[in-house]
Structure formats: C-alpha cells, structure tokens
Amino acid sequence: MNLESGFTKVIQFFTEWITRLFSANLMWLLFNLPVILLSVNVTFADNRQEITSIIVLLLMIAPFITFPATIALFAVVRRWAMDDITIPVFKSYIAYFKEHYKASIVAGFIIEIFWIIYAVDYYYFTSNISASLSLFFIILGVVFLMITLFFICSLVHYDLKIINLIKNAIIMIITNPFLTVSIGVFNLSIIYISFLYAPYLLLFFLGSSIAFVTFSGFYKIFRKVELMKNR
C-alpha cells in the first residue's frame, strides 16, 4: 500500500511538472507567433534580398515581441524556483508580460545590438582574417549567451538600472564558472537535441526548461551571496 502510494506521488509529481513546463512554453510560443511565422518564411525565401528583408523585419519586431515574451517566461519560472509552484501559469504569464513590457523593450534593444555586433565581428574575422577563429567566437558566443540569460534573470529578480543588471550578470558568471558552464552545457544540449532529434521538445519544453534551469542556477548563486552577506 505504501509502495503504491509512493509510486502515485512520483507520477503526480512528474505530471504536474510536465503540465507546468508545457503550459509556460505554450504561452511563450503563442506570444512569439509572429516571430516564429516570419522565421519559417526565411526557409521559403527565393533570393538573398528577400531573406535580408525578413531578417531586418525580425530584428525590428523582436524587442517588442520576443524579449517581453521571454522575460515574462523567466518571471514565471522565477516563482517556481522560489518554491511558489501554485501560481496559475496563464494568468501569471500575462500579468508579468504587462508588468515588464517597457523594461523588456529597452533590454531587448540593448541585447539585440550586443548580438548584432557579435555577429558582424564573427563574420568579418572568420571571413577576412582566419577561419580558425571560428572556435574562439563559438566559445565567446556561449559566454555571451550566459550573460544574456543571467541578465534576464537579474531583470526579473532585481530592481536595478540596466547597466547594473549587466554588471551583476557578468560578476555572477565570472565568480561561478563551474555552475555557469553546467547551465550552458544543458541549454546547448537541449537546443541541439530539440532541433536535430526531438522537434516535439520545441513545442513542449524547450523555452520553459531552459528558463527554469537557468533561473534555478541563478537563484542558487543569489542565495549563496545572501548567506555570505548575513554572516
């Protein structure tokens, strides 16, 4: 009887978390629908000019759609990481989307400019200087990805100015390299698996699992810092 009860609790635990992750991921995808449709159109473009036009349009609308949607997702999983797992996902997601919308747009433009500079440098140095620099830029890209994700974590957790949020993200990564690398490996692995081997993960868990694992790591660092302050 106890064994059956324990097994039932395990099944219930996994079912609840699967539902939670799927619900949050679905909201993220729905709010990103215009960006997703435009991205799909790139594969059907007939020439380079059409591809360029779509990419420019994507860059124009991303700060108004993708970044607010992603920051709302991180705000929801933040509550889970802080052991508040009873919140209504759909209602909370919409509330956080509205609450952080203006700050998300500003953050979105900053992050986008940051990544455009990186992409231009990557293309220039690997095309005109040496193709062997690709590995360096790939590693640098992973570091930048973690800075971006920790910046978003900081935005939904702290009430600070943008420049201080960026500084906070960089300091956390530098002072916690092992945890940062672990989170980065997980994120890259699930992206790789989702796109190449399990496309259904895109629909069910990709965004929400990355957000939850990243913020959980971020929150672990935050609590460690707070404990050190209180000693």
Side-chain angles (χ1 to χ4, degrees), residues 36-47 50-51 54:
I36 293 171
L37 293 175
L38 275 174
S39 300
V40 171
N41 284 335
V42 171
T43 61
F44 297 102
D46 296 324
N47 51 65
E50 191 174 344
I51 293 173
I54 295 173

Side-chain angles (χ1 to χ4, degrees), residues 17 19-28 69-90 92-94 96-97 100 149 152-154 156-157 187 204-220:
W17 271 105
T19 303
R20 219 172 271 133
L21 290 167
F22 171 69
S23 300
N25 201 73
L26 181 62
M27 291 296 289
W28 179 64
T70 302
I71 288 170
L73 176 64
F74 271 78
V76 170
V77 302
R78 168 181 176 269
R79 298 283 294 276
W80 299 346
M82 297 174 70
D83 294 326
D84 186 3
I85 57 176
T86 60
I87 61 169
V89 174
F90 297 113
S92 299
Y93 186 95
I94 293 171
Y96 285 128
F97 185 88
H100 295 291
L149 293 175
I152 294 173
C153 291
S154 297
V156 300
H157 195 65
N187 290 341
F204 288 96
F205 307 117
L206 180 64
S208 57
S209 61
I210 287 175
F212 180 67
V213 169
T214 302
F215 191 88
S216 295
F218 169 90
Y219 190 58
K220 183 177 181 180

Side-chain angles (χ1 to χ4, degrees), residues 65-208:
I65 297 176
T66 300
F67 290 100
T70 302
I71 288 170
L73 176 64
F74 271 78
V76 170
V77 302
R78 168 181 176 269
R79 298 283 294 276
W80 299 346
M82 297 174 70
D83 294 326
D84 186 3
I85 57 176
T86 60
I87 61 169
V89 174
F90 297 113
K91 185 178 179 180
S92 299
Y93 186 95
I94 293 171
Y96 285 128
F97 185 88
K98 293 177 180 178
E99 179 184 342
H100 295 291
Y101 190 72
K102 290 183 179 179
S104 300
I105 294 174
V106 176
F109 274 111
I110 292 172
I111 293 171
E112 188 171 87
I113 291 170
F114 181 79
W115 279 101
I116 289 173
I117 293 172
Y118 167 80
V120 170
D121 285 345
Y122 177 87
Y123 176 79
Y124 174 80
F125 282 100
T126 56
S127 299
N128 299 295
I129 307 299
S130 174
S132 61
L133 289 171
S134 295
L135 180 60
F136 167 77
F137 274 98
I138 290 171
I139 295 171
L140 191 62
V142 174
V143 174
F144 286 170
L145 174 63
M146 291 309 303
I147 291 174
T148 300
L149 293 175
F150 270 34
F151 168 70
I152 294 173
C153 291
S154 297
L155 191 149
V156 300
H157 195 65
Y158 293 105
D159 184 17
L160 299 172
K161 294 181 179 179
I162 295 292
I163 186 64
N164 291 328
L165 294 175
I166 296 172
K167 288 179 180 178
N168 186 69
I170 294 172
I171 291 171
M172 279 189 158
I173 287 171
I174 292 173
T175 55
N176 298 272
F178 180 76
L179 183 58
T180 301
V181 170
S182 300
I183 296 170
V185 169
F186 171 84
N187 290 341
L188 292 174
S189 297
I190 194 169
I191 291 171
Y192 180 80
I193 293 170
S194 297
F195 279 96
L196 294 183
Y197 299 106
Y200 58 87
L201 291 177
L202 297 170
L203 175 62
F204 288 96
F205 307 117
L206 180 64
S208 57

